[in-house]
Structures are given as C-alpha cells and as structure tokens.
Amino acid sequence: MIMPRFLDVEASSLSIDSYPIEIAWSDHQGNIERRLINPYAVDGWRDWDYNAQQMHGLSRKQCREEGIHPKQMCNLMSQSIKPGEIIYADGGAFDENWVDVLYSEGSALGYAQFKVVHSDAIMLPLLTKIEFDEKKRWQLYENLKLEARRMVGTRHRAEPDVQYLIELWKLCTSKAS
C-alpha cells in the first residue's frame, strides 16, 4: 500500500530560539527513519527547556552523544525526501519551522526542497466521503485520533509520533473505503 509520507520533530523547546533535536520520517510503505541531532554542533543552539525534556525524555547530553551533525541530517533527509515532495506533520507550522531551522544550519541551500504540510490536510478530506456534516466529521476525526494514539501508546518522541500518523491515516482510509 502506497501511503503519504509523515514527519515529526522533537525540539529543544517551544521558544523562538528552539531547534530540532530529533526527527523521524516515513517512506511510502510506512518504514520510519529516525535520528537524534547533536545541538553542540551549532554554536547558536543553546536554548533548552527542561519541561520539554520531561515530555520527550531526551537530554542535551544524550543528543550530543547519540546525535548527528545537522549537515548529516539534512543529507539523509534530502536523499530520502525528493525535491517538491510533500510530507505531512501534525505539528504543522512548528514542524515546518524546525525543518527550516535545521536546513538553515545544515544545508548549502539553506532550505529544504520538500514541503511540510499539516496532516489534517490529507486526513480530513478522506472523511468527507463518509461524513458530510463538518461538526460530526471533526468528532469522528478526534475519535480516530484517540484510537490511533491508543494503538501506538508512546508519544512525544519522533518515531512513535510518525507511527501514530501512519495508524491514523490507515484508520481514516479504512473508514472512507
């Protein structure tokens, strides 16, 4: 089954100075690739929120020890995600911004050649086939989100969050067919 591609980013915080520390993305078959990013590789990446660390469970030390350089991350992502391709994320503008921050530091171009779009843009149209009433459609969508979250369990880590989006897409397509 060919499916849309999904992406999730974990970050140092939600502040304006935040940067990505973990990124996961899927291919069209649902295989997921995930990497930590070493924040010590970029001089300006000093922002850190310990409340965010509590949520995702990643320390700066772990990112330094297990993370790769932003240039290596951009190379991996650019080899996997083709120019002009759309990849869906439920963090919307947040995930798009963190991809921009990554590529501004790690890519010679200074930007990603793929587009990050909110995952609602691909999920909700599937549900219009079975539910015409917008309020009921959103309620159905929220119920499917809960079901997908129960299936995956873990959250606030990039790989399980991408798996959640894959499961949600599968639930939406099965409802729509």
Side-chain angles (χ1 to χ4, degrees):
M1 173 188 331
I2 293 181
M3 65 180 68
R5 299 186 71 176
F6 298 103
L7 171 137
D8 188 73
V9 181
E10 298 301 326
S12 64
S13 76
L14 294 178
S15 82
I16 194 162
D17 296 323
S18 66
Y19 49 86
I21 60 170
E22 181 183 47
I23 302 179
W25 64 96
S26 65
D27 64 16
H28 288 293
Q29 288 74 42
N31 301 306
I32 300 172
E33 191 162 345
R34 177 205 66 89
R35 295 285 189 285
L36 291 178
I37 302 167
N38 179 359
Y40 291 87
V42 179
D43 287 336
W45 285 7
R46 293 196 173 95
D47 171 76
W48 193 263
D49 181 351
Y50 288 96
N51 292 321
Q53 180 176 321
Q54 290 280 334
M55 290 181 75
H56 53 59
L58 296 168
S59 68
R60 275 181 64 88
K61 181 180 183 222
Q62 181 181 1
C63 292
R64 181 184 68 226
E65 292 172 357
E66 299 173 26
I68 62 176
H69 195 283
K71 288 180 183 175
Q72 189 178 357
M73 179 64 95
C74 289
N75 286 339
L76 285 170
M77 292 179 74
S78 294
Q79 288 170 14
S80 174
I81 309 166
K82 302 300 178 223
E85 194 168 359
I86 295 174
I87 193 160
Y88 297 93
D90 65 351
F94 282 106
D95 287 332
E96 183 177 18
N97 175 65
W98 290 319
V99 167
D100 289 345
V101 169
L102 173 69
Y103 273 78
S104 70
E105 288 295 336
S107 167
L109 285 175
Y111 61 90
Q113 292 185 290
F114 56 88
K115 177 87 174 124
V116 178
V117 173
H118 199 290
S119 54
D120 289 354
I122 194 136
M123 308 282 189
L124 282 167
L126 294 168
L127 299 178
T128 59
K129 296 175 182 178
I130 59 163
E131 184 53 69
F132 298 106
D133 182 272
E134 185 175 359
K135 187 175 179 179
K136 289 179 182 177
R137 184 169 54 249
W138 274 99
Q139 185 59 55
L140 172 61
Y141 189 43
E142 291 303 317
N143 290 338
L144 293 174
K145 285 180 180 182
L146 291 172
E147 187 176 339
R149 190 52 75 191
R150 278 192 296 272
M151 293 168 74
V152 174
T154 306
R155 63 186 303 178
H156 299 302
R157 285 296 303 269
E159 187 172 0
D161 287 352
V162 169
Q163 187 65 49
Y164 156 78
L165 290 170
I166 290 169
E167 298 305 329
L168 179 58
W169 182 80
K170 288 177 181 177
L171 289 170
C172 289
T173 55
S174 71
K175 284 278 185 202
S177 44

